[in-house]
Amino acid sequence: MRLGIDLGTTRTTVASVDRGNYPVVSFLDSAGDSHEFFPSVVALVGDRFCYGFEALTAAGQGAPLLRSFKRALGAGDVNADSTVLIGDREVPLLDVLTGFLVATREALASASSISDTYEPSTAEATVVAVPAHAHGAQRFLTLEAFRRAGFAVTAMINEPSAAGFEYTHRQGRTLNSKRTRVIVYDLGGGTFDASLVNVDGVDHEIIGSLGLNMLGGDDFDAVLADCALDEAGLDLDDLDLPTYVRLLDDCRDAKEHLSPQSRRIPVEVDARPVTVQVDNYYTRATPLVEASIAAMAPLVEDLEGDAALAADIAGIYLVGGASGLPLVPRLLKDRFGRRVHRSPYPAASTAIGLAIAADAEAGYSLADRLSRWFGVFREGDAGSTVSFDPILGRDQPLPDHGELVITRRYRAAHNVGWYRFVEYTEVDPSGEPRGDIAPFAQIVFPFDAALQRDGIDVESVPVQRGQGPMIEERYAIDANGIVQVRITDLTTGYTRTHAMSRPLAEAA
């Protein structure tokens, strides 16, 4: 059994490989009803955590419920020790992710459309996804949670890259010798991604990816909740947290049932029915869609400047559950015309693409890119100045297997070196990082051999100028877009390494 699993902000979707077909797996809830997703929620019942449909049932009986925990992965400072709050209990984020995926695995084996054939211990391959603009910690924690949960993960692919596979599988007729590219517009529950994909048969190359880590369907729910509060004559401060969470749930459900013909949206605010006019909601939600269009602008602009969409782009492909809101295709079609296509399975497009990637017989290939810049702030002039050095560009191709290694060698000019590594989404004209900046690691390296001993607090040593040893910086990028840093004194062999798979380590 080979699977593609899209860990979603609100819903997790699974597709399987079945003789050249990629059906979406359905799950049974506690009432025996079938759903083509497993809810991405966790509840606290006494001292026990439960997940998915069981968590929704528990929440209906008053248990504390946490939704959208995947969004915590997008925080710039997230790490293996990050926590989330469920009720009044602080829990490690990695434990929540792992527990949820264990529950997903168990549901696949016992309460799904593939239960008769899925045996977790003998599953051949599982391909998983992350947002295209995910930083290293986000990628590592996602991969680590799947592995701890017992899935045999064979690849991790960027979400819009996987949806590009699904586009070619279903919409290949739109591609021809003149229009060889497609833009995947992926608006999920918690994130927005866009990727420009060049397609040659079953071979896919990612030209560029852009996105917003904190824009998704949850934000559209919040806008609708604000509209409902206005209709009720209330402010957010008038509601306690559980009541506001119920309002968000009601708004999410109402939003998902909107059609192009809808004119009014009935919701309840603290058990009081109110009606929101669709036009009012769309007016207030339009800036969110416009923010996504602005974010992907560098991918769609005609380089000649005489058209809204470059001539070699076959279309903009709308995927992700939040793209089902009628406002989204309406605004995109107003801007880009008839070359806007919506996936027939927008919430499952990524999972289907992941299943295609898991199917070796399909023959699909992918050449992806890093999608974020990576660089380092360094001390200079005996610590009196700080300079920035870009190391990797966001267009850096990823290896299809193994590692891509980049090395730098130089003679140290201080007794101690401070390295503050960051990942970032934008650069200013001088090359300095801007936009979404995520700390990657801080390494304080003793260039002076006398400081390369156990028990010395190198961080407390004043930085002084002076000729030091030859130093090598080694950067290894794997196929998942995760970077490992190693700094070595080539004279003594002393090394410090930072890898997402383990804490900072040093060796003599």
Side-chain angles (χ1 to χ4, degrees), residues 415-416 418 444 446 448 451 456-464:
N415 62 329
V416 174
W418 286 72
V444 183
D448 184 346
L451 302 175
I456 296 179
D457 181 8
V458 182
E459 295 187 17
S460 66
V461 176
V463 178
Q464 299 176 346

Side-chain angles (χ1 to χ4, degrees), residues 350-368:
T350 294
I352 294 169
L354 293 171
I356 294 171
D359 184 6
E361 295 177 4
Y364 280 62
S365 71
L366 176 66
D368 217 330

Side-chain angles (χ1 to χ4, degrees), residues 242-279:
T243 302
Y244 181 64
V245 170
R246 286 195 297 272
L247 173 59
L248 287 176
D249 288 344
D250 197 19
C251 288
R252 179 181 294 112
D253 184 65
K255 178 198 71 179
E256 291 176 353
H257 284 85
L258 287 176
S259 72
Q261 292 75 39
S262 298
R263 296 293 177 266
R264 291 175 294 277
I265 311 172
V267 294
E268 286 193 354
V269 180
D270 198 12
R272 297 166 53 184
V274 301
T275 299
V276 176
Q277 297 299 314
V278 169
D279 285 347

Side-chain angles (χ1 to χ4, degrees), residues 2-3 25 40 69 225 275-276 322 329 344 463-464:
R2 289 166 287 176
L3 301 176
V25 175
S40 302
F69 51 80
T275 299
V276 176
V463 178
Q464 299 176 346

Side-chain angles (χ1 to χ4, degrees), residues 160-240:
S161 301
F165 281 1
E166 192 260 344
Y167 177 87
T168 303
H169 181 66
R170 297 189 186 278
Q171 307 279 348
R173 65 186 183 280
T174 65
L175 297 159
N176 54 47
S177 60
K178 293 183 179 180
R179 291 182 175 173
T180 61
R181 301 186 182 193
V182 60
I183 291 173
V184 177
Y185 175 103
D186 184 0
L187 185 61
T191 60
F192 167 70
D193 274 325
S195 289
L196 177 60
V197 188
N198 187 71
V199 183
D200 181 7
V202 294
D203 298 328
H204 294 64
E205 179 187 7
I206 305 302
I207 306 303
S209 295
L210 297 166
L212 299 169
N213 228 4
M214 293 295 172
L215 173 64
D218 286 357
D219 302 291
F220 288 85
D221 301 338
V223 169
L224 182 53
D226 289 343
C227 293
L229 286 169
D230 289 347
E231 291 294 330
L234 298 173
D235 294 323
L236 180 59
D237 293 339
D238 295 325
L239 304 184
D240 58 24

Side-chain angles (χ1 to χ4, degrees), residues 19-84:
R19 296 163 296 182
N21 297 306
Y22 309 98
V24 177
V25 175
S26 58
F27 294 85
L28 299 178
D29 64 16
S30 55
D33 295 325
S34 180
H35 306 267
E36 291 189 333
F37 61 86
F38 192 67
S40 302
V41 293
V42 54
L44 178 61
V45 181
D47 292 329
R48 182 179 70 89
F49 295 104
C50 57
Y51 305 87
F53 293 111
E54 184 185 359
L56 292 178
T57 300
Q61 299 170 352
L65 182 75
L66 176 63
R67 295 184 181 271
S68 304
F69 51 80
K70 179 186 173 183
R71 276 199 128 172
L73 287 170
D77 59 351
V78 71
N79 56 61
D81 298 321
S82 295
T83 60
V84 292

